[in-house]
Amino acid sequence: MKLSSRTEYGVRAMIELAEAHGGGPVAVREVAEKQGISEKYLEQLFAALRKEGLIASQRGAQGGYTLAKAPGDIRVGDIVRALEGPIALCDCLANGEDDAVCHRMGECAAHPLWVKLQDGITSILDSTTLQDMIAGASGDSANDMGGNSEEESRDEQDLP
Amino acid sequence: MKLSSRTEYGVRAMIELAEAHGGGPVAVREVAEKQGISEKYLEQLFAALRKEGLIASQRGAQGGYTLAKAPGDIRVGDIVRALEGPIALCDCLANGEDDAVCHRMGECAAHPLWVKLQDGITSILDSTTLQDMIAGASGDSANDMGGNSEEESRDEQDLP
DNA sequence: AGTAAATCCTACTGATTCGGTAGGAATTAT
DNA sequence: ATAATTCCTACCGAATCAGTAGGATTTACT
């Protein structure tokens, strides 16, 4: 249960682009420096994000990257999937639907829990957009996975 | 976003013990065979589960493992933590509290989301007990396992 | 008492993933 | 032309993961 640096970096970088949205393209170097990420590594993450159509590139001098859509149209889930592939807690959930085939299917009492967990995760990640994040709140729109997240991260836009 | 085999195996094995709860101890070999897990590997997982007080062992012939508490008192979250350590999506969430110190904290717009995600995951894992899982075993039944109701896992009909 | 069945303990291993580096080709604003 | 930049692909060291190995210890059963 740990985020990969890939995901952490990717999301932070996308936030950076979101904040620059509307202006010109931003170079990898700039994002890497601001966020303290290896430039060459981030380059690779951007390649993946670009392949999935989340960002667009402008080559050559003064070039860089821009969001391919409005910040409100890019969900964190999209970023995670672009960087890590489909969110599938275990192989038997790869399809995401109930026709998924578990090799031990009939016997696996844990299966329903994994489904629930995966749905919960997906639903949180997909209900938060870049816009939500740069607005300073964790966007929790209509979606509360029954969690104890009653703690509405109010006005604490920047963390301690 | 993938469960380790460690977690998958551990939970499945614990379900096995839960189903045998009330009877005598169950040998590692038996669980390993039923669940298709390497015996020697499972042995190590059991060592961790035992260290955390989730299961108890009986050495020697006819020995084996039993749950250390009632199935309704063992949460999936406990199992995950015993096997993988504290659930912390990223280092800055290690404490689980808001005094967590992010090295880039002032600037990290993603932080509130990670907090929310981690809370969501924890809340699902901690609101489901072994009892919940074996109650809804074997497929069907509109699975509402361990809803976040916090109530359900109360009445355990222990075997004699 | 002897033996077989079991936990316990610790070390090793092979494969894979992860985070990062390296170097250079292609493109483009100035 | 040149400098800045994306793009592409290969490689690398360390860590983690899943599993193996071997044996010491404990205990029930006969």
Side-chain angles (χ1 to χ4, degrees):
Chain A
M1 286 289 114
K2 186 109 175 3
L3 295 171
S4 61
S5 292
R6 206 174 159 84
T7 296
E8 267 189 85
Y9 292 174
V11 171
R12 296 217 312 257
M14 287 294 277
I15 288 172
E16 205 71 37
L17 292 191
E19 279 164 350
H21 188 240
V26 185
V28 168
R29 158 172 310 154
E30 200 179 326
V31 177
E33 269 167 14
K34 270 197 196 164
Q35 289 290 332
I37 301 171
S38 147
E39 185 180 333
K40 284 303 232 173
Y41 188 40
L42 186 53
E43 213 177 68
Q44 292 171 42
L45 304 192
F46 274 6
L49 293 166
R50 177 170 155 276
K51 225 179 71 180
E52 294 302 314
L54 298 183
I55 61 182
S57 64
Q58 166 73 32
R59 301 186 67 172
Q62 259 54 46
Y65 292 91
T66 51
L67 292 187
K69 325 178 199 176
D73 290 335
I74 299 181
R75 301 171 295 175
V76 177
D78 297 328
I79 302 173
V80 173
R81 277 182 291 266
L83 293 172
E84 312 225 28
I87 297 172
L89 282 188
C90 55
D91 300 331
C92 43
L93 298 184
N95 285 343
E97 299 310 325
D98 18 12
D99 57 355
V101 178
C102 217
H103 33 115
R104 330 190 58 76
M105 190 163 38
E107 323 146 43
C108 184
H111 199 279
L113 173 65
W114 302 142
V115 171
K116 184 180 178 188
L117 183 57
Q118 175 163 313
D119 285 352
I121 291 172
T122 305
S123 128
I124 287 185
L125 294 180
D126 281 345
S127 66
T128 306
T129 68
L130 285 176
Q131 181 64 52
D132 296 326
M133 300 180 96
I134 63 181
S138 73
D140 51 334
S141 32
N143 210 314
D144 250 281
M145 52 189 317
N148 45 0
S149 33
E150 77 293 314
E151 203 61 31
E152 295 304 333
S153 40
R154 315 157 303 277
D155 50 347
E156 34 126 2
Q157 68 286 29
D158 277 4
L159 289 113
Chain B
M1 286 287 112
K2 186 110 174 5
L3 295 171
S4 61
S5 292
R6 208 174 157 85
T7 296
E8 268 191 84
Y9 292 174
V11 171
R12 296 217 314 257
M14 286 295 276
I15 288 171
E16 206 71 38
L17 291 191
E19 279 164 351
H21 188 239
V26 185
V28 168
R29 158 172 306 154
E30 201 178 324
V31 177
E33 269 167 13
K34 270 196 196 165
Q35 290 290 333
I37 302 172
S38 147
E39 185 180 332
K40 285 302 232 175
Y41 189 40
L42 187 54
E43 212 176 69
Q44 294 171 41
L45 304 191
F46 274 6
L49 293 166
R50 176 171 155 275
K51 225 179 70 180
E52 294 302 313
L54 298 183
I55 61 180
S57 64
Q58 167 72 32
R59 301 186 66 171
Q62 259 56 46
Y65 291 91
T66 52
L67 293 187
K69 325 178 198 176
D73 290 334
I74 299 180
R75 301 170 295 176
V76 177
D78 298 328
I79 302 173
V80 173
R81 278 182 291 265
L83 293 172
E84 312 225 27
I87 297 172
L89 281 188
C90 52
D91 301 329
C92 42
L93 298 183
N95 285 343
E97 300 310 326
D98 16 12
D99 57 356
V101 178
C102 218
H103 34 117
R104 328 190 58 75
M105 47 201 166
E107 324 145 42
C108 184
H111 199 281
L113 173 65
W114 302 143
V115 170
K116 184 181 178 189
L117 183 57
Q118 175 163 312
D119 284 352
I121 291 172
T122 305
S123 132
I124 288 186
L125 293 180
D126 281 344
S127 65
T128 306
T129 68
L130 285 175
Q131 180 65 47
D132 296 326
M133 300 180 97
I134 62 181
S138 231
D140 86 298
S141 87
N143 58 357
D144 178 44
M145 52 175 355
N148 357 5
S149 37
E150 207 75 23
E151 314 286 328
E152 300 310 324
S153 41
R154 202 53 40 97
D155 50 344
E156 65 239 16
Q157 69 282 33
D158 271 15
L159 313 176

